[in-house]
Amino acid sequence: MAAADGTLSVQIKVKRYQPEKEAKPYWQEFRVQVDPKDRLLDALNQIKWEQDGTLTFRRSCAHGVCGSDAMRINGRNRLACKLLIEDVGTRITVEPMLGFPVIRDLVVDMDPFFAKYEKIKPYLINDEPEPRTERRQSPEQRERYDETTKCILCGACTGSCPSVWANADWVGPASIVNAHRFIFDSRDRGANERLQILSDRNGVWRCRTIFNCSEACPRGIHVTDAIEEVKRAIMYGSNAIE
Ligand code: SF4
Ligand code: F3S
Ligand code: FES
């Protein structure tokens, strides 16, 4: 129930863990007084600044742009800075994303995630002589990969995917989304190289079309559809790309 000033008393249970000091993670409960329009990140900051300075989590932009505060909130991966308290309720659980090694509390090791991202060559490949002006593209060609340019590499899709939980070597949805961004770019010439990388045993075929990734994406990217398009490009070659 709201207080006279409109604020809410909210219980937040956070999974805490310092792997080098503690044998296993444990839950710690906090209570904060927040405005319903506050974001969960505001509540976590309040805990850190006023109750327990040792609580550890990543954040930077606070506006859904940098992708650093993806975490598991009431069992679903979300950006803490985009989630309003009024949308998540007054009893909240917060955990690190699954499928990533925990460094401390809510901070996970993103190095393996970025190593897989680099594997798919996330940059324009084109060895043709440079044109006198820019490499031109029609609005339709640009539209073809528009959605996958919106990825902020937060990892929410990857951390919500059961195929990732089952196999840490699998390239995972975020890498495929970023491969899609270049494979379907008419200026790029590296599609075959990327499709070959994604055809191997830890490539796209480990996706079981579970859709958790699409549900988790804070940028509204239809991750499963992008993965399906890459699968079709592997099966049907350039006919599926154009
Ligand atoms: Fe995050 Fe969406 Fe990119 Fe996955 S596809 S890393 S959920 S922005
Ligand atoms: Fe995983 Fe998404 Fe595929 S949840 S199995 S990557 S559709
Ligand atoms: Fe940057 Fe949330 S703090 S996306």
Side-chain angles (χ1 to χ4, degrees):
M1 206 170 82
D5 63 357
T7 58
L8 291 172
S9 172
V10 173
Q11 180 205 71
I12 302 184
K13 279 173 71 179
V14 185
K15 198 178 250 184
R16 308 286 310 261
Y17 189 33
Q18 265 185 275
E20 70 283 6
K21 284 195 186 161
E22 292 154 357
K24 55 182 185 177
Y26 64 95
W27 290 98
Q28 186 173 7
E29 208 173 293
F30 299 93
R31 189 157 282 280
V32 287
Q33 198 71 27
V34 287
D35 190 280
K37 295 283 182 211
D38 280 347
R39 287 90 39 88
L40 179 64
L41 180 61
D42 299 314
L44 291 175
N45 281 334
Q46 192 185 125
I47 294 171
K48 185 167 179 72
W49 295 336
E50 297 174 12
Q51 298 185 37
D52 185 345
T54 68
L55 179 66
T56 308
F57 49 96
R58 285 196 185 99
R59 74 283 194 204
S60 180
C61 70
H63 285 89
V65 177
C66 72
S68 61
D69 61 342
M71 51 188 79
R72 193 168 155 91
I73 302 163
N74 286 354
R76 295 159 79 182
N77 284 357
R78 295 284 179 264
L79 295 179
C81 67
K82 283 194 74 179
L83 199 59
L84 298 182
I85 294 292
E86 66 182 5
D87 292 333
V88 75
T90 53
R91 293 166 73 88
I92 305 169
T93 59
V94 187
E95 307 165 67
M97 288 192 290
L98 302 179
F100 290 81
V102 174
I103 294 176
R104 181 163 172 167
D105 296 340
L106 304 173
V107 174
V108 293
D109 184 358
M110 299 292 283
D111 284 355
F113 173 85
F114 282 110
K116 290 176 197 170
Y117 166 68
E118 281 166 25
K119 198 174 151 190
I120 56 84
K121 303 181 186 289
Y123 40 81
L124 193 85
I125 299 175
N126 189 329
D127 293 336
E128 293 166 4
E130 281 184 22
R132 279 163 51 90
T133 58
E134 73 272 23
R135 294 184 197 276
R136 292 226 164 138
Q137 196 164 51
S138 69
E140 292 75 25
Q141 287 171 325
R142 176 62 180 76
E143 183 61 29
R144 186 71 185 83
Y145 61 95
D146 184 65
E147 188 165 299
T148 46
T149 63
K150 295 180 179 150
C151 176
I152 54 172
L153 293 169
C154 66
C157 55
T158 299
S160 68
C161 171
S163 296
V164 171
W165 305 339
N167 177 3
D169 293 331
W170 183 45
V171 69
S175 299
I176 304 173
V177 161
N178 284 279
H180 179 287
R181 181 256 170 269
F182 290 99
I183 290 168
F184 291 89
D185 184 334
S186 60
R187 302 163 301 176
D188 186 86
R189 299 290 175 265
N192 289 341
E193 221 175 309
R194 293 192 194 89
L195 293 174
Q196 199 163 356
I197 294 164
L198 291 171
S199 309
D200 86 2
R201 53 195 291 274
N202 284 314
V204 287
W205 306 111
R206 284 201 185 268
C207 167
R208 302 285 187 253
T209 323
I210 295 171
F211 281 96
N212 284 10
C213 51
S214 299
E215 195 276 329
C217 181
R219 303 289 292 169
I221 299 170
H222 297 93
V223 179
T224 313
D225 293 352
I227 295 172
E228 290 303 308
E229 287 198 330
V230 173
K231 285 179 180 171
R232 278 200 294 278
I234 291 174
M235 286 192 292
Y236 305 118
S238 56
N239 290 344
I241 293 177
E242 282 157 10

